[in-house]
Every structure is written in C-alpha cells, then in structure tokens.
Amino acid sequence: MKKNFSTVLGGTILLFLFPYIFTLFVSGTVGEETKEIAESGKTILRSGAYGTERIDLEEYVIGVAAAQIPGEYEKEAVKAQVILARTYLYKAMGEADTVSETDLYGTYMDVAARKRVWGEEADSYEEKFEAAAAETAGQVILYEGVLADAMFHRASCGMTRDGGEAFPYLKSVDGSRDVDMENYVTIREMTAQEISAAVSSLGGQSIGEEEALGLQIVSRDGAGYVQGVLVGTEEYAGEKLAAALGLPSSAFSVSRTEKGIKFVVKGSGHGYGMSQWGANKLAAEGKDALTILNTYFQNITVEKTGENISQPEMPS
C-alpha cells in the first residue's frame, strides 16, 4: 500500500513539475520569461563550438550594439546605437536574406560574452539593450531614401567632422559635450626610433631617426583633425599615421622634446557621425534617440525597413 501511495505521489509531483522541467530543458533557466524579439527575415550565420547558429538580424543587432557602446550608457543613447548598427547590417547584407558573420565588419558579443563583460549589471544591461532593439525594431537611417553610412566614434575633439560630397549628411557639429570625457586629452611621448618604425610599417619608404624627428603636420580639416603629415619624402593621411602610431585619434599636435616628439591628442575615434559620449550626455539631458541622431546626421530620416528603402548603386 505504501509502495502504491509513493508511486502515485511521485507521479503527481512529476506532473506538477513538468512545465518547469520542460522550461529548464528548452531555455536552461527556470522562471525566466521568453524574450520577445522581432524578426526581420534576414539571417546571420554564426559558427560556434556546436555548429552553425542561425540568428535573425533583429537579435543579432543586440550583440553588435553591445560590442560598440558601453553597457552603462543611457537607454536613448543605446537606442541610437542600435539604429546605427541595424543600418550597417542592412546595408552590408544588401538584397541577401542570409549572410555569414565572416562577411560582416565589426564585433558581435553573444549573451555569454555580455555577461562576462557586464558583470553584476548584466541582467539590467541585457534588459536595456533588448528593450532598445524592440522599441526601434526595423528602424534604419536613410538619406534621400538610401541607407546611410552609420558612422560613429567614441568622442570628438570638440567638433565632429564634415563628410564632404561623399557623405552630405555628415556636417561638422558642436562636440563640446565631449571635452569632459575621462582621458579626453591623451599625451604620448615617442622616441625617434619608435616613430621611424611606425612610419616604415606603412610602406613606401624607410626613414632614419633624424627624418622621423622632422615630422610635420601640413594640413587639418575644419574640425581640427590632421589630414596630412609630412615625414621624410612622403605625405601620409592623418588617420593612417595616427593608427600606425597608436594614437586614439588624428586630432593631434606635435612638439619636439629631448627624447623625441610629444603628441597631444584630443578625443577618440575618427570623428565622423555620432559621438557616443555626446549621445550619452544628450540622453541624460532628456533627448530621445531620434533627436540624438538628427543632431549628428543632417537631413536624414529614421524609418522602418520596407519597400521605400533602396540600396546605393554600385560603381560600374
């Protein structure tokens, strides 16, 4: 009799627990609601330890934005970044419905990576990024009906850069909110040998230490970013030389020292498009994602993907 009672009791408990066991089997968690993520119909193929994973673009964009902007930033700044990331993905995929992750530029952080990076704040940040994606589902930046180049940088040198005729929606705008960023100004002193090695790595010429110390800035753009640098007999693009020297931006000045050359650098990144630091400050002031994007991109519209969006013509 006891045996039968135990069997019945065990069966009753099993039936009672079945929904929870099933949830644990499917999601790996108990009591966690299934997150609702919009579907775009576009798929990114991502290779992993357990084979190839198929991820819808609307889910993938969360991991892209998470790799691009700090988790602690204001929600509206995150939403602006999500729209930029989504715009890039749509433009990169073009008419294709499926693309391999290896064909995309940039970094993607999966859930496990986000938890490692975000630490104790992982749950709240995850909720914020998922909400940012859900609330902007399908939204991209257009200029005259064509997907724009979704440019962004960490912080400007005090002004963002003009994109010229190639990018008419990128006009130089005030970036004074960026100046209070930690490490806004970076000072690096480099020896002639270090400069010589960096310049030589660019190819075209090998220079000696005396030529390295003769480095001269020959041109800047209206925002203050270096456009041309003369070293030896060659002129280099400021962005290219800054990267070779390991400088955070091409908004730098130079001066001779006893040890070599001192570089004083302002801001971080190329300076085009949205300043993430500035975007976060605007969000803290109560500005929404649309206002933030229209601050840094001129004469653009933010619309949901559809038939009114066209891909840019490829050069013949």
Side-chain angles (χ1 to χ4, degrees), residues 35-288:
K35 60 183 179 182
E36 295 183 4
I37 298 175
E39 293 185 356
S40 66
K42 285 184 173 287
T43 303
I44 290 87
L45 303 178
R46 188 166 192 263
S47 298
Y50 302 101
T52 300
E53 183 180 7
R54 299 177 63 86
I55 310 174
D56 186 86
L57 184 148
E58 284 296 330
E59 181 175 359
Y60 191 81
V61 76
I62 297 172
V64 174
Q68 295 173 337
I69 193 167
E72 67 269 20
Y73 273 24
E74 299 283 340
K75 183 180 178 182
E76 291 300 318
V78 172
K79 287 169 69 173
Q81 188 69 47
V82 167
I83 294 171
L84 289 175
R86 185 184 292 110
T87 302
Y88 162 72
L89 291 172
Y90 268 94
K91 189 162 188 174
M93 292 185 72
E95 300 298 329
D97 291 329
T98 303
V99 67
S100 171
E101 184 181 53
T102 56
D103 294 326
L104 301 174
Y105 175 80
T107 305
Y108 170 84
M109 283 206 306
D110 61 20
V111 175
R114 298 198 290 266
K115 286 185 177 181
R116 288 195 302 271
V117 172
W118 289 339
E120 294 181 355
E121 300 296 330
D123 288 344
S124 63
Y125 291 172
E126 186 71 27
E127 182 179 351
K128 176 169 56 180
F129 276 73
E130 287 179 10
E135 292 170 20
T136 64
Q139 292 182 6
V140 292
I141 297 177
L142 304 178
Y143 177 75
E144 295 184 348
V146 177
L147 289 163
D149 281 85
M151 298 188 192
F152 64 92
H153 55 282
R154 186 76 177 90
S156 74
C157 70
M159 292 286 291
T160 66
R161 303 175 77 175
D162 192 301
E165 294 182 2
F167 307 99
Y169 41 87
L170 295 179
K171 301 297 183 183
S172 183
V173 301
D174 175 58
S176 58
R177 290 177 178 83
D178 296 335
V179 300
D180 65 353
M181 182 187 76
E182 186 178 1
N183 297 323
Y184 166 73
V185 175
T186 302
I187 299 176
R188 291 185 183 170
E189 190 170 3
M190 302 182 72
T191 65
Q193 186 177 13
E194 290 171 327
I195 296 169
S196 174
V199 171
S200 298
S201 72
L202 295 174
Q205 66 171 335
S206 294
I207 63 170
E209 294 185 10
E210 283 301 316
E211 291 176 302
L213 293 177
L215 180 152
Q216 297 179 52
I217 296 172
V218 295
S219 60
R220 294 181 184 271
D221 64 14
Y225 289 84
V226 173
Q227 290 183 307
V229 184
L230 182 66
V231 192
T233 59
E234 299 284 340
E235 183 173 331
Y236 299 92
E239 201 73 37
K240 190 173 183 180
L241 184 63
L245 294 171
L247 304 179
S249 88
S250 60
F252 60 84
S253 61
V254 299
S255 60
R256 285 286 297 268
T257 68
E258 291 183 359
K259 295 181 179 180
I261 292 181
K262 180 173 70 175
F263 295 85
V264 179
V265 192
K266 294 181 180 180
S268 179
H270 52 57
Y272 290 105
M274 187 184 83
S275 159
Q276 293 178 323
W277 183 268
N280 193 49
K281 295 291 289 271
L282 286 167
E285 294 168 12
K287 304 298 190 296
D288 62 17

Side-chain angles (χ1 to χ4, degrees), residues 2-25:
K2 290 182 180 179
K3 182 178 180 181
N4 291 338
F5 176 76
S6 299
T7 302
V8 172
L9 181 61
T12 302
I13 293 173
L14 184 60
L15 287 172
F16 180 75
L17 292 176
F18 180 76
Y20 300 92
I21 295 172
F22 181 75
T23 300
L24 179 62
F25 176 76

